[in-house]
Amino acid sequence: VQLQASGGGLVQAGDSLRLSCVVSSGRAYVMGWFRQAPGKEREFVAATDWSSSTTNRANSVKGRFTISRENAKNTVYLQMNSLKPEDTAVYYCAARSTRRVVLSAWSSALSYDTWGQGTLVTVSS
């Protein structure tokens, strides 16, 4: 499995941005988005099961971020609304491609075996 993330950029607080992650050369059971701010550890943002409508999001982004997928395009999206300066980070998409994993494990980076290259999101105040 290979992942190609895109869509990052510089926006102002309150703006919206949509990240995309194209999956190629294989399939994934679970797709996740993580982010890493300067000087901080990588943290879970959202995840979705590839074959169902089940999703999971971090409390810090509930009500603002939405994860979705478009199977025909092998693409997972992260729609980010009402962005805040604290959302500034490099965003990574990740795939669980070996076998299914329980929903409670979706928020752990250890559950994913393939990572994209990251796309930078900068939110100015």
Side-chain angles (χ1 to χ4, degrees):
V1 174
Q2 294 182 331
L3 306 177
Q4 181 68 43
S6 62
L10 172 63
V11 297
Q12 293 186 335
D15 285 351
S16 298
L17 206 58
R18 188 178 77 164
L19 305 182
S20 300
C21 179
V22 179
V23 182
S24 61
S25 303
R27 64 162 295 173
Y29 290 98
V30 180
M31 291 294 301
W33 284 99
F34 287 75
R35 66 186 181 186
Q36 188 166 17
K40 295 187 177 181
E41 294 185 353
R42 190 169 299 188
E43 66 172 353
F44 170 74
V45 176
T48 183
D49 187 292
W50 193 262
S51 59
S52 76
S53 59
T54 304
T55 63
N56 190 19
R57 289 173 293 178
N59 289 334
S60 60
V61 304
K62 283 182 178 178
R64 299 189 301 123
F65 292 11
T66 302
I67 186 170
S68 63
R69 70 189 191 283
E70 189 170 357
N71 291 7
K73 294 186 177 181
N74 290 329
T75 302
V76 174
Y77 304 102
L78 184 67
Q79 178 66 44
M80 305 185 294
N81 299 329
S82 302
L83 282 162
K84 304 175 182 180
E86 51 264 44
D87 294 319
T88 294
V90 177
Y91 284 71
Y92 298 90
C93 62
R96 170 84 176 191
S97 63
T98 51
R99 63 184 184 277
R100 295 189 184 280
V101 63
V102 295
L103 187 148
S104 60
W106 290 7
S107 60
S108 171
L110 298 176
S111 296
Y112 301 85
D113 48 66
T114 304
W115 292 81
Q117 82 285 8
T119 183
L120 177 62
V121 173
T122 303
V123 185
S124 63
S125 57

